[in-house]
Amino acid sequence: MPADRLHDIEAFVRVAELESFTAAAEVLGVSVSSATKAIRRIETGLGVELFHRSTRHLHLTDAGARYYADGVKLLADFENAQLAVRDANSRPAGTVRLALPPAFGRRSLLPLVSQFFERYPEIKLDVRFKDQTANPIDGGFDLAIHSGRLADSRLVHRTLIRGPQKTVASPAYLERHGVPRTPAELCEHNCIVGRFGSTWRFRDGKGDELAVRVSGNLQTDSGDVLRQAALVGLGVSQATWWLFNADLQAGRLVAFLNEFEIEADPIYLIFPASRNIAARVRVVADFFLEVVRALPREELPNGQP
C-alpha cells in the first residue's frame, strides 16, 4: 500500500475518533486543510460519504463506521508488523491489565496461569473479573475478554471461541421431571434465568428462529450461579457451551434439544483501538488463541479448528 494512502487512512481514523478535523490535524501534526483533503481523497475513491457534516457536529455514516473498523485494524496490523520487528530480539516484560467475565476467568484462565508464567516469567498479569459492559476496555485495560455481541463496532477484536448455546440439566433433575423433547416443553420445567433474560431462542428444522418464554424460581446475572444451580438439580439452564463443557464431558450435566440449538454469541479478545499493541499484550492474546486451538477436538464445539 502506498505510504500516502496509509497516511490518509490514519487521518480518517483520527478524525473519526476525535470528531473534529482541527483536533485530528493537531494530533497528526498537519494542517486542517491536509486532514480535510485526506478524507476527500478517500471519499472520492470510494464514491461514498464517510461523515455526516454540520456546523456543529461530525459523525460517521454507516459506510464510514464500516470503513473505520477496517481502518483501525489496518493501522493496528501495520503497527504490529513494526513492533514485531522491533521486539524480535527482546523478551516481553511488564504488567498486562486484563479484564475477564467472572465465570470465564475462573473456569478458563486460572487453570492456565502457571503454564503462561512458565513461558513468560517477566510478565505480570493484573487480572480483574468484570461484568460485561458496552466498552470492555474502559478503565485502562490492555486486553479484555468479552462474551456477547459488541455494542461498539470500532473496538479492535479477534474471535476467540464460537460455539452453540446449550440447554442443560443434571441427570437427577431429568430423571425426576423427564427430558424436554421440544423447546415448547420448557414451559413445564423450572428454568434458571440468566442475564440474557427469560426469552430463550432456538431454531426449528427449517432454520427459522423460535422464541420460548421460560420461567423458574431463580434468576441470576452470574454464570457461576447458573452452572451451579443446574449441577445441584434445581432446574434447566441455558448458556454458551464453554460454561458447561467440562460438566458435559464428565456427565455431571446432560445437554438436550441439541437439534434446536442456535450459535451462542462469540467470545472476543478486545484491544484498545487507539493504542499500539505492546509485545507483552500481544503474547497474552496469542497465548489465549494458541490454547484454544490446542484443545482436543472433542472439547471444542462442532469440531471448531
Side-chain angles (χ1 to χ4, degrees), residues 20 22 70 73 94 154 164 175 181 206 256 293 305:
S20 166
T22 302
D70 291 338
K73 184 177 184 304
R154 296 176 299 177
E175 186 176 347
R181 302 298 178 185
K206 299 178 182 179
F256 50 91
R293 290 166 182 163

Side-chain angles (χ1 to χ4, degrees), residues 110-137:
L110 293 182
L112 303 172
V113 165
S114 60
Q115 182 181 341
F116 176 83
F117 288 136
E118 286 177 8
R119 189 181 304 182
Y120 301 107
E122 297 176 29
I123 291 181
K124 295 181 180 180
L125 295 180
D126 181 355
V127 178
R128 305 300 173 97
F129 289 163
K130 180 183 177 186
D131 292 328
Q132 303 295 280
T133 58
N135 188 341
I137 54 175

Side-chain angles (χ1 to χ4, degrees), residues 112-301:
L112 303 172
V113 165
S114 60
Q115 182 181 341
F116 176 83
F117 288 136
E118 286 177 8
R119 189 181 304 182
Y120 301 107
E122 297 176 29
I123 291 181
K124 295 181 180 180
L125 295 180
D126 181 355
V127 178
R128 305 300 173 97
F129 289 163
K130 180 183 177 186
D131 292 328
Q132 303 295 280
T133 58
N135 188 341
I137 54 175
D138 275 347
F141 290 100
D142 298 301
L143 187 67
I145 291 180
H146 179 81
S147 174
R149 303 194 183 280
L150 296 171
D152 188 344
S153 63
R154 296 176 299 177
L155 291 171
V156 180
H157 63 275
R158 295 171 71 180
T159 301
L160 183 63
I161 300 174
R162 289 184 181 275
Q165 188 90 339
K166 287 292 185 182
T167 305
V168 306
S170 71
Y173 176 89
L174 294 175
E175 186 176 347
R176 291 196 308 271
H177 300 283
V179 180
R181 302 298 178 185
T182 67
E185 291 182 19
L186 289 172
C187 298
E188 303 168 9
H189 287 262
N190 189 53
C191 294
I192 304 153
V193 177
R195 67 184 180 90
F196 293 112
S198 58
T199 299
W200 290 6
R201 302 191 182 281
F202 301 88
R203 292 198 183 281
D204 63 19
K206 299 178 182 179
D208 296 327
E209 185 175 284
L210 295 173
V212 177
R213 191 164 184 83
V214 301
S215 62
N217 57 13
L218 178 64
Q219 183 168 345
T220 178
D221 64 353
S222 166
D224 287 325
V225 173
L226 198 70
R227 168 181 168 267
Q228 191 62 36
L231 284 171
V232 300
L234 182 61
V236 177
S237 288
Q238 187 185 79
T240 184
W241 71 279
W242 60 260
L243 183 65
F244 306 127
N245 190 51
D247 300 309
L248 292 171
Q249 296 290 327
R252 294 185 292 267
L253 291 175
V254 177
F256 50 91
L257 301 178
N258 296 337
E259 65 271 32
F260 298 99
E261 68 190 19
I262 62 172
E263 183 172 289
D265 289 337
I267 298 174
Y268 296 106
L269 284 169
I270 311 294
F271 304 86
S274 58
R275 296 187 203 167
N276 297 332
I277 300 175
R280 64 181 183 278
V281 177
R282 190 167 59 251
V283 298
V284 174
D286 289 344
F287 177 80
F288 275 113
L289 291 164
E290 176 187 331
V291 167
V292 169
R293 290 166 182 163
L295 285 173
R297 290 182 67 84
E298 62 270 16
E299 293 187 27
L300 288 167

Side-chain angles (χ1 to χ4, degrees), residues 85-102:
V85 173
R86 202 177 302 148
D87 297 335
N89 297 318
S90 63
R91 191 171 181 83
T95 299
V96 176
R97 299 193 69 228
L98 179 62
L100 299 164

Side-chain angles (χ1 to χ4, degrees), residues 1-8:
M1 175 181 292
D4 57 349
R5 188 176 302 174
L6 191 65
H7 291 155
D8 286 353

